[in-house]
Amino acid sequence: MSTAEPATAPEEEDFPRLREMRWWDIDPVLVLERTLFPDDAWSRGMFWSELAHARGPGATRHYVVAEDAEGTLLGYAGLAASGDLADVQTIAVAEAAWGHGLGSRLLTDLLRAATAFECAEVMLEVRVDNLRAQRLYERYGFQPIGVRRGYYQPGNVDALVMRLTDPANPAPSTPESEPPGHG
């Protein structure tokens, strides 16, 4: 397991279940990645590289998947930590699971991991045209701090840069208030 223990609390053992992402999850993750982000999907190598830093002493990454009772992948999320700063690398939720609070659960898990990594701040980039994800992050206390022009390629879409200054005490949303979509 990574240094940042998966944060699935016993009361959250209902499905979808969150668990540590492993190498055998890469293929189903890629299917979802390409469905949700067809123009700027991560490659297999990018996921392998991230997972290589997610286990053992000195781990600096935390990746989880969400699966239903049959083991079908419904979402995934990842975080990188360096010193007292963490960066949300990715959050994705299958369209069939939109609007049920899974994005909130995944983000909560990442923030718990950031706290376990002893990070004082969490940063992220989100597409300027992904308003649903922006609203999710804002509900957790993320504040916009800048724009990265042309960050998402090849579509040349800008990224809104957001920061949370206290990951141990976010302003969590409730599943009922979460809009459909993915982060």
Side-chain angles (χ1 to χ4, degrees):
M1 271 216 169
S2 66
T3 304
E5 291 296 319
T8 304
E11 65 272 9
E12 293 179 322
E13 280 301 315
D14 297 352
F15 288 94
R17 178 176 69 105
L18 301 187
R19 64 169 176 78
E20 178 185 16
M21 184 188 293
R22 300 298 305 272
W23 66 266
W24 52 81
D25 295 311
I26 291 176
D27 283 340
V29 162
L30 284 172
V31 170
L32 185 54
E33 177 82 2
R34 291 175 185 142
T35 300
L36 294 173
F37 312 112
D39 295 331
D40 49 15
W42 282 21
S43 68
R44 180 181 314 281
M46 291 171 77
F47 280 106
W48 271 104
S49 178
E50 289 297 295
L51 291 182
H53 299 284
R55 295 181 62 87
T60 59
R61 303 291 193 273
H62 176 78
Y63 278 79
V64 295
V65 295
E67 56 187 15
D68 66 14
E70 291 78 39
T72 302
L73 181 82
L74 297 176
Y76 57 91
L79 177 105
S82 178
D84 66 351
L85 180 66
D87 189 68
V88 173
Q89 301 291 297
T90 187
I91 295 180
V93 174
E95 189 173 354
W98 288 1
H100 297 283
L102 184 54
S104 292
R105 285 190 58 206
L106 289 165
L107 182 57
T108 297
D109 186 81
L110 295 184
L111 296 178
R112 288 177 181 160
T115 300
F117 280 127
E118 299 181 356
C119 295
E121 291 185 329
V122 179
M123 305 285 289
L124 60 82
E125 291 89 10
V126 58
R127 291 174 62 107
V128 295
D129 58 359
N130 191 343
L131 299 178
R132 289 182 291 219
Q134 290 175 37
R135 285 193 298 264
L136 171 65
Y137 300 138
E138 288 169 354
R139 283 195 312 274
Y140 274 76
F142 281 86
Q143 298 293 317
I145 60 169
V147 174
R148 291 194 177 164
R149 302 277 177 222
Y151 182 79
Y152 292 99
Q153 295 297 327
N156 203 37
V157 177
D158 296 344
L160 179 64
V161 180
M162 301 182 82
R163 175 178 59 202
L164 176 66
T165 56
D166 190 2
N169 295 299
S173 62
T174 62
E176 297 78 34
S177 67
E178 181 177 312
H182 64 276

